[in-house]
């Protein structure tokens, strides 16, 4: 078979050959996609085609010259034709998370996985309201419905000895047991190999490990983070108090690539490899820059006598499917979940401990372990309710719920159609909302499935919970979610780089840190906005102004940056303290230099992010091309009696 030309490879790549090779390889695809290195060529071609096809030979020096949302989306679809295959995500967003469109707010300020959907919460509130009305009437009280045993919960702290809890167990409510089963199944983690502990948050999980790990005998703590993490800093602080020697990987300026040679030297041991060196803390992705790190580092660490902790908090919703947990078997794994995307980022953390690693832990007491307590207003099923009572109540409630769902869907469809015809924002309104029609047959079928599941769980004595967001992620699958994020983040990076100040030098408006246009970059972006002199606009100010424009961003602190000699002069200009003040690094002692780094603005895409979200961010950043933008914003909010934006 003849080898493909560069243009042919480009066309095939954008139609999905690379995702197929990575996630769904088969003998047929191997035969079609020759030569042998077609995967590598495809990745390179993806980046090259993105650069050459999105606003080719164009630079934008005025925010008013940007193409409209409609025009940009049309060109986006031409460059990434396979994006249309992810339209199911738009349908899920429109039906289950319609608050994102109605509020006209873009959430790009946190990364992770949600549990429930907004639509699910609304339905439960309607159900709860109807139950309250029934309870207040003269009718005799009825048994609580198992269908309402889901959704919102609170956490209660308990003092815990982690090792004792892992060895002997503890009281676990039906609600907690159900949540544990759901999460472990979602993450493909076997209960035969791992124990799971609920923690207050991500930071609490890291503290638990730090307080229980035997740093007196295995002294080293080696972390791999290109940004400052509150959770990791807390772990380092606790560990050092217990005798640990903390070390960190370094990242080369300006592309922030991992210093592999240095990291290998820190990992490799010259002494007996059977004796544990310490704890190797490895994030699979950077949740700030979007950098992804080779999984091979876990294997190298294990071969050299390290216990391995995997930080999976930055993983995409289905990335655990491609992680290869059964191959690497880390000793500890930490992840976190929030409640509803765009509504409530609170939730809990999860600490997984490999059963064979429990014996190395030391007994210690520390706050951070929690119980999950379902909200009382959801009328939880009492412990002594019989299966027959539940089943009878289920049928009547399911019938009522079905009617409510159909009415809600019909009403929602009407509201959407009205908004589309009213317009108000021209072409943007057509892309902002996808029309949803009430699918009577589909809703009936969905309710029948829920009834069957409820009845089955009643017979088994189990507590039924519906984590609708996790179900949606499972239904969409890894390929759809990964491809969608890949197209959106690379379009955003490329478009940001097209913004130039209207001066002779054509100074870039945006400075991007870490990977730029890249096939396998993560869906997170670290950047700074610069003025026409190349001076950075403070990230906190950018964040505040974005919030005024209904865009939620965050900011971070990049650190452990290594500068080659040729960047020595730039080093003095770039590094600053955590407070954002530049410093002369020449006179600072080595042990304090970890406090220096680069403050950045951060944006993170979720699986629900759409093209309008990234376009809105791009259009907002482009406003800084106007040298008076900040002053105009301050004046505007002062004259409307709002709090002035502080510089």
């Amino acid at each position: 078979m003849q080898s493909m030309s560069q243009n042919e490879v480009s066309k095939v790549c954008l139609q999905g050959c690379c995702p197929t090779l990575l996630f769904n390889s088969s003998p047929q695809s191997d035969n079609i996609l020759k030569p042998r290195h077609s995967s590598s060529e495809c990745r390179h071609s993806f980046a090259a085609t993105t650069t050459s096809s999105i606003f080719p030979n164009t630079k934008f020096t005025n925010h008013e010259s940007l193409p409209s949302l409609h025009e940009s989306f049309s060109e986006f679809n031409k460059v990434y034709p396979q994006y249309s295959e992810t339209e199911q995500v738009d349908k899920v967003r429109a039906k289950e998370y319609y608050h994102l469109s109605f509020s006209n707010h873009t959430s790009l300020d946190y990364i992770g996985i949600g549990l429930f959907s907004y639509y699910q919460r609304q339905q439960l509130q309607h159900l709860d309201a109807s139950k309250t009305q029934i309870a207040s009437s003269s009718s005799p009280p009825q048994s609580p419905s198992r269908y309402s045993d889901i959704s919102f919960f609170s956490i209660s702290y308990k003092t815990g000895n982690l090792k004792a809890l892992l060895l002997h167990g503890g009281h676990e409510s039906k609600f907690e047991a159900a949540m544990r089963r759901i999460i472990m199944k979602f993450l493909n983690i076997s209960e035969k190999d791992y124990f799971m502990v609920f923690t207050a948050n991500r930071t609490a999980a890291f503290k638990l490990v730090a307080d229980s790990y035997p740093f007196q005998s295995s002294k080293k703590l080696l972390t791999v983070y290109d940004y400052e993490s509150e959770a990791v800093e807390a772990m380092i602080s606790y560990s050092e108090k217990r005798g640990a020697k903390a070390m960190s990987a370094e990242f080369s300026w300006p592309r922030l690539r991992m210093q592999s040679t240095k990291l290998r030297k820190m990992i490799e041991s010259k002494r007996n490899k059977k004796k544990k060196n310490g704890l190797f803390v490895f994030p699979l992705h950077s949740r700030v820059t979007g950098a992804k790190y080779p999984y091979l580092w876990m294997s190298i660490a294990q071969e050299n006598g390290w216990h391995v902790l995997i930080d999976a908090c930055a993983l995409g919703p289905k990335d655990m499917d491609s992680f290869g947990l059964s191959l690497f078997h880390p000793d500890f794994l930490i992840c976190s979940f929030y409640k509803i995307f765009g509504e409530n980022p609170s939730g809990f953390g999860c600490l997984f401990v490999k059963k064979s690693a429990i014996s190395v832990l030391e007994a210690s007491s520390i706050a951070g372990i929690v119980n999950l307590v379902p909200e009382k207003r959801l009328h939880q099923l009492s412990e002594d309710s019989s299966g027959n009572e539940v089943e009878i109540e289920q049928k009547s409630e399911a019938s009522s719920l079905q009617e409510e769902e159909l009415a809600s869907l019909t009403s929602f469809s009407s509201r959407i159609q009205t908004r589309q015809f009213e317009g108000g924002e021209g072409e943007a309104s057509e892309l902002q909302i996808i029309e949803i029609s009430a699918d009577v047959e589909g809703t009936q079928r969905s309710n029948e499935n829920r009834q069957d599941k409820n009845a089955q769980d009643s017979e088994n004595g189990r507590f039924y919970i519906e984590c609708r967001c996790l179900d949606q992620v499972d239904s969409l699958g890894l390929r759809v979610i990964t491809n969608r994020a890949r197209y959106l983040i690379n379009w955003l990076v490329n478009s940001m780089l097209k913004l130039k100040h209207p001066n002779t030098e054509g100074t870039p408006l945006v400075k991007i840190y870490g990977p730029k246009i890249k096939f396998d970059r993560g869906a997170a972006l670290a950047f700074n906005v610069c003025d026409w002199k190349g001076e950075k606009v403070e990230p906190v100010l950018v964040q505040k102004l974005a919030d005024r424009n209904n865009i939620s961003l965050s900011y971070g602190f990049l650190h452990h940056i290594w500068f080659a000699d040729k960047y020595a002069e730039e080093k003095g200009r770039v590094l600053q303290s955590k407070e954002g003040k530049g410093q002369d690094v020449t006179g600072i002692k080595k042990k304090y230099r970890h406090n220096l780094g680069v403050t950045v603005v951060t944006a993170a895409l979720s699986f629900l992010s759409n093209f309008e979200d990234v376009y809105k961010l791009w259009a907002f950043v482009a406003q800084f091309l106007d040298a008076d933008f900040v002053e105009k914003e301050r004046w505007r909010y002062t004259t409307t009696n709002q709090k002035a934006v502080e510089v």
Side-chain angles (χ1 to χ4, degrees):
M1 179 178 177
Q2 294 180 342
S3 61
M4 292 181 288
S5 66
Q6 179 73 12
N7 289 336
E8 289 172 328
V9 171
S10 300
K11 292 178 181 178
V12 174
C13 178
L14 292 176
Q15 293 173 1
C17 76
C18 292
T20 302
L21 281 172
L22 287 176
F23 311 125
N24 197 23
S25 296
S26 65
Q28 285 184 330
S29 64
D30 289 341
N31 290 334
I32 294 173
L33 295 171
K34 299 291 183 177
R36 186 171 60 182
H37 299 296
S38 56
S39 177
S40 176
E41 290 182 10
C42 202
R43 290 166 180 266
H44 174 74
S45 176
F46 175 89
T49 304
T50 295
T51 303
S52 62
S53 301
I54 298 175
F55 307 129
N57 303 316
T58 303
K59 64 178 181 180
F60 299 100
T61 59
N62 186 326
H63 70 279
E64 295 180 350
S65 67
L66 266 57
S68 69
L69 171 62
H70 182 79
E71 293 171 334
S72 299
F73 188 53
S74 177
E75 291 301 312
F76 173 84
N77 279 316
K78 291 178 182 178
V79 178
Y80 304 122
Q82 199 183 16
Y83 182 80
S84 62
E85 297 178 10
T86 72
E87 63 181 6
Q88 185 60 34
V89 179
D90 296 307
K91 294 178 180 178
V92 169
R93 172 172 168 145
K95 177 181 181 293
E96 301 279 344
Y97 304 90
Y98 48 87
H99 65 299
L100 298 176
S101 296
F102 287 163
S103 65
N104 195 31
H105 192 94
T106 300
S107 297
L108 301 173
D109 56 336
Y110 56 94
I111 194 168
I113 307 171
L115 294 169
F116 312 110
S117 75
Y118 181 84
Y119 174 81
Q120 179 182 7
R121 190 192 74 169
Q122 296 301 99
Q123 290 301 306
L124 288 172
Q125 287 182 338
H126 293 326
L127 182 61
D128 187 49
S130 64
K131 283 181 170 232
T132 302
Q133 292 176 357
I134 293 175
S136 62
S137 67
S138 59
S139 303
Q142 300 184 21
S143 301
S145 165
R146 182 177 292 273
Y147 181 74
S148 62
D149 289 343
I150 63 177
S151 196
F152 292 104
F153 56 87
S154 59
I155 62 174
S156 64
Y157 286 83
K158 60 180 181 181
T159 56
N161 181 326
L162 178 61
K163 186 171 184 177
L165 179 64
L166 295 173
L167 286 174
H168 308 296
H171 173 71
E172 185 180 55
S173 68
K174 289 184 178 180
F175 180 80
E176 290 175 307
M179 289 297 296
R180 176 178 49 79
R181 287 192 299 268
I182 289 172
I183 288 172
M184 294 189 78
K185 181 179 179 181
F186 179 79
L187 296 174
N188 292 331
I189 296 177
S190 170
E191 293 187 52
K192 295 180 181 179
D193 300 320
Y194 288 87
F195 279 116
M196 173 181 163
V197 175
F198 291 108
T199 66
N201 48 42
R202 176 173 177 253
T203 300
F206 276 90
K207 285 182 178 179
L208 278 170
V209 177
D211 202 61
S212 304
Y213 189 79
F215 285 113
Q216 293 295 330
S217 56
S218 304
K219 290 186 174 296
K220 295 180 180 179
L221 173 63
L222 177 55
T223 60
V224 185
Y225 289 83
D226 60 8
Y227 67 97
E228 184 180 75
S229 163
E230 178 184 351
V232 177
E233 293 302 312
M235 167 178 256
I236 292 173
S237 177
Y238 271 79
S239 301
E240 289 181 332
K241 290 177 182 178
R242 300 186 60 246
K245 177 185 177 183
M247 305 179 294
S248 175
E250 294 185 342
F251 303 87
S252 301
W253 182 264
R255 303 187 67 179
L256 297 187
R257 287 183 172 178
M258 184 192 296
Q259 281 274 299
S260 301
T261 303
K262 288 186 178 182
L263 181 59
R264 182 179 287 273
K265 286 182 178 179
M266 286 189 280
I267 291 177
E268 290 181 343
S269 174
K270 296 179 181 179
R271 60 179 186 173
N272 185 0
K273 294 183 180 180
K274 292 183 179 179
K275 186 176 181 180
K276 293 299 180 183
N277 271 315
L279 185 62
F280 179 60
V281 182
F282 186 69
L284 302 172
H285 299 181
S286 168
R287 59 194 291 150
V288 171
T289 63
K292 294 187 177 182
Y293 307 121
Y295 294 172
L296 181 63
W297 288 111
M298 288 180 285
S299 179
I300 295 174
Q302 289 170 334
E303 291 171 359
N304 284 272
W306 293 78
H307 288 108
V308 175
L309 185 158
I310 294 302
D311 178 1
C313 295
L315 286 179
K318 287 295 289 180
D319 283 352
M320 281 295 287
D321 285 356
S322 63
F323 168 44
L325 187 68
S326 60
L327 178 63
F328 297 107
H329 275 296
D331 302 282
F332 310 95
L333 187 143
I334 293 174
C335 67
S336 60
F337 293 85
Y338 53 81
K339 293 178 183 177
I340 297 177
F341 177 74
E343 178 74 12
N344 192 342
S346 67
F348 55 79
C350 300
L351 170 62
F352 298 91
V353 180
K354 190 167 66 172
K355 293 183 177 180
S356 61
I358 296 175
S359 60
V360 307
L361 298 179
E362 297 177 347
S364 61
S365 297
I366 187 172
I369 301 175
V370 300
N371 289 119
L372 302 187
V373 183
E375 295 288 352
K376 292 181 180 179
R377 69 178 181 82
L378 294 179
H379 307 288
Q380 299 300 105
L381 178 66
S382 63
E383 296 291 334
D384 57 353
S385 296
S386 68
N388 289 335
E389 290 177 331
V390 173
E391 192 169 355
I392 292 171
E393 183 64 13
Q394 271 178 246
K395 292 178 181 178
S396 61
E397 289 290 353
S399 176
S400 174
L401 180 63
Q402 178 178 319
E403 293 176 0
E404 289 186 21
E405 285 182 336
L406 294 179
S408 176
L409 279 172
T410 304
S411 174
F412 180 51
S413 174
S414 176
R415 291 198 303 272
I416 291 176
Q417 292 178 42
T418 301
R419 178 166 178 170
Q420 282 184 320
F421 283 110
E422 288 175 352
E425 297 181 7
E427 297 165 323
S429 62
E430 297 179 11
L431 292 173
Q432 187 174 5
I433 301 293
I434 293 180
E435 183 176 350
I436 300 295
S437 61
D439 183 352
V440 178
E441 181 180 352
T443 304
Q444 289 176 333
R445 185 165 56 250
S446 176
N447 281 310
E448 290 170 359
N449 291 338
R450 288 198 198 100
Q451 292 176 45
D452 293 341
K453 175 64 177 174
N454 289 344
Q456 182 181 353
D457 283 342
S458 297
E459 293 173 3
N460 296 334
R462 287 190 172 188
F463 197 99
Y464 171 66
I465 302 174
E466 182 184 26
C467 292
R468 202 144 170 168
C469 184
L470 300 187
D471 292 342
Q472 291 154 2
V473 167
D474 277 331
S475 176
L476 293 168
L478 176 65
R479 188 171 183 273
V480 167
I481 291 173
T482 304
N483 282 355
R484 184 180 177 92
R486 175 177 295 123
Y487 303 144
L488 291 173
I489 193 66
N490 279 287
W491 181 91
L492 177 61
V493 170
N494 184 84
S495 300
M496 288 282 208
L497 296 175
K498 297 289 184 178
L499 302 175
K500 307 283 186 178
H501 281 287
N503 53 11
T504 306
E505 296 79 12
T507 306
L509 176 68
V510 177
K511 167 69 176 177
I512 293 176
Y513 304 86
K516 294 184 175 58
I517 300 168
K518 192 174 182 181
F519 176 82
D520 57 354
R521 78 180 323 283
L525 180 64
F527 68 96
N528 272 318
V529 177
C530 303
D531 62 22
W532 64 275
K533 295 180 181 179
E535 298 294 329
K536 178 173 65 176
V537 179
E538 285 304 320
V540 174
L541 175 59
V542 176
Q543 182 199 34
K544 288 181 178 179
L545 292 176
D547 190 62
R548 302 286 194 184
N549 285 266
N550 288 327
I551 301 173
S552 293
L553 299 174
S554 188
Y555 58 92
F557 185 72
L558 303 178
H559 64 169
H560 301 307
I561 304 174
W562 179 82
F563 289 79
D565 290 340
K566 63 180 179 180
Y567 296 114
E569 184 179 344
E570 193 171 352
K571 178 180 181 180
R573 296 197 309 268
V574 169
L575 291 182
Q576 57 191 178
S577 67
K578 297 175 185 178
E579 292 75 25
K581 298 177 181 179
Q583 292 190 13
D584 180 7
V585 300
T586 56
I588 297 177
K589 294 182 179 180
K590 185 176 181 180
K591 65 178 181 179
Y592 296 117
R593 291 189 181 180
H594 69 279
N595 292 323
L596 299 179
V598 181
T599 54
V600 295
V601 184
T602 66
L605 307 187
S606 78
F607 84 99
L608 290 167
S609 297
N610 61 16
F611 182 79
E612 184 174 358
D613 292 333
V614 295
Y615 179 88
K616 284 175 64 177
L617 175 57
W618 182 53
F620 161 72
V621 171
Q623 293 184 79
F624 286 88
L625 289 171
D626 180 353
D628 297 325
F629 172 62
V630 174
E631 290 301 321
K632 289 177 180 177
E633 286 293 291
R634 181 187 289 107
W635 177 85
R636 183 160 68 94
Y637 286 100
T638 301
T639 55
T640 54
N641 294 321
Q642 299 188 46
K643 185 177 180 180
V645 179
E646 298 294 337
V647 178

